[in-house]
Amino acid sequence: MSYDERMKIEAGKLRDKEQVRILAIESSCDETTAAVIGNGRKILSNIVFSQIPMHIPYGGVVPEIASRSHIEKLDAVTVRALVEAGLALGDMDAIAATQGPGLVGALLTGLSYAKGLAYGLGKPLLAVNHIYGHICANYLAYPDLNPPFLCLVASGGHSHLIQVREEGFDLLGCTQDDAAGEAFDKAARVLGLPYPGGPRLDDLAEKGNPTAFTLPLPNPAGIYDFSFSGLKTAFINLVHHLDQKGETPNPKDLAASFRLRVVEHLCERTLKACRNLGWDTLALAGGVSANRLLRRELAKRCEEAGIRLVMPPLSLCGDNAAMIGAAAYAQLMRLDVAGLDVNASPALKLFPEERLKR
Ligand code: KG4
Ligand code: ZN
């Protein structure tokens, strides 16, 4: 019997096991991270090694540097994850890694490492979609959370409104151009802030006046869709005009005015979807869920509307392997295990059919 065939049987047995421990690896971009997760809900350890200082001199993530650093650090973060969990490699029931989307070289390091471990240990391998991982970060923070719920995924590459169901997802709406995190990063660059721009713009905006400058509120045609490129262009033009006039605006006010519009747009479309479709549980996911105004504003609007809002704690908003382990457990329970021929998929989609379902 081949490894792939044996692993299907092994995964079936794990469905009935009381304690299932998954070793998860995430290496899709600029964090090397390993975690041990119990039954998909309990973080036994979650080690994150950030490469940010290595990429700062270049103003962004350099893929080659990222891949090399992942290779150097994967073993160390994995050993630390096991030590912190107080467990050995032989105690793991399955091995998981991010398959995509992300940087191809970076993904390959973690996926190949996980593949080697799974094959060597004779344990099932789970290949996880990174965006699904971000959604599942909420399962770690809210053990009682179960589908169905509506989820706003706002990250560096995604701005999606997703209906999360037991049996899969429906894409309700998505950005028509840039993602929210991308817009934050570009606006940060215009303000001369170093990489990573989004969190730094958020810091600056906390101390600024959000009504100092009036920027347009995006209004794409699809009522649950998003758009950030028009707002981004308006912001760039505003900064250039002020510069040409010789004015020196307060960067804190510029940051606050831009952040306000991004957050208003995300909140407006999301709450509209809750209202129109009767969702009473909303989850937030993705790197932008660390944005302080977004968290405050969604909390306020959801409270007013009587909607339960769940948000990952700040420690689980960015990339981390714990969320990959949570997603992997759900996949394991569905017997959605990977074969040894699984490959990194830099443009992996959550929705193969691509188009919106309303
Ligand atoms: O989820 P993530 O790691 O990326 C993808 O998986 O695509 O999110 C990274 C994105 C970056 O664009 C980063 O600037 C943004 O999330 N981000 C923030 C904040 N923290 C991270 N954007 C605004 N405010 C923040 N506090
Ligand atoms: Zn991410």
Side-chain angles (χ1 to χ4, degrees), residues 29 51 54-55 57-58 60-72:
C29 190
Q51 299 178 353
M54 288 177 211
H55 301 294
Y58 307 96
V61 180
V62 182
E64 184 62 21
I65 292 176
S67 310
R68 283 173 188 270
S69 176
H70 285 311
I71 291 173
E72 282 168 15

Side-chain angles (χ1 to χ4, degrees), residues 110-123:
L111 187 63
S112 308
Y113 185 83
K115 221 187 254 193
L117 281 181
Y119 187 67
L121 293 166
K123 300 290 178 189

Side-chain angles (χ1 to χ4, degrees), residues 28-96:
S28 64
C29 190
D30 54 359
E31 332 272 355
T32 316
T33 149
V36 179
I37 301 300
N39 285 349
R41 300 270 172 167
K42 193 164 166 39
I43 301 177
L44 302 175
S45 63
N46 185 30
I47 309 298
V48 179
F49 172 79
S50 172
Q51 299 178 353
I52 286 175
M54 288 177 211
H55 301 294
I56 283 181
Y58 307 96
V61 180
V62 182
E64 184 62 21
I65 292 176
S67 310
R68 283 173 188 270
S69 176
H70 285 311
I71 291 173
E72 282 168 15
K73 292 287 184 250
L74 272 165
D75 247 336
V77 295
T78 303
V79 169
R80 261 192 69 195
L82 289 166
V83 169
E84 228 169 75
L87 295 164
L89 210 43
D91 297 321
M92 298 301 109
D93 296 298
I95 310 292

Side-chain angles (χ1 to χ4, degrees), residues 1 37 82 84 94 98 140 177 206 252 262 269 278 304 320:
M1 203 187 289
I37 301 300
L82 289 166
E84 228 169 75
T98 306
L140 297 165
D177 36 64
E206 283 290 293
K252 293 173 186 162
V262 173
R269 298 281 156 138
E304 282 163 9
N320 65 86

Side-chain angles (χ1 to χ4, degrees), residues 28 98-108 111 129-131 158 343-349:
S28 64
T98 306
Q99 185 187 1
L103 301 169
V104 67
L107 289 164
L108 267 172
L111 187 63
N129 182 305
H130 181 81
I131 297 304
H158 290 72
N343 205 353
S345 180
L348 187 66
K349 300 269 182 279

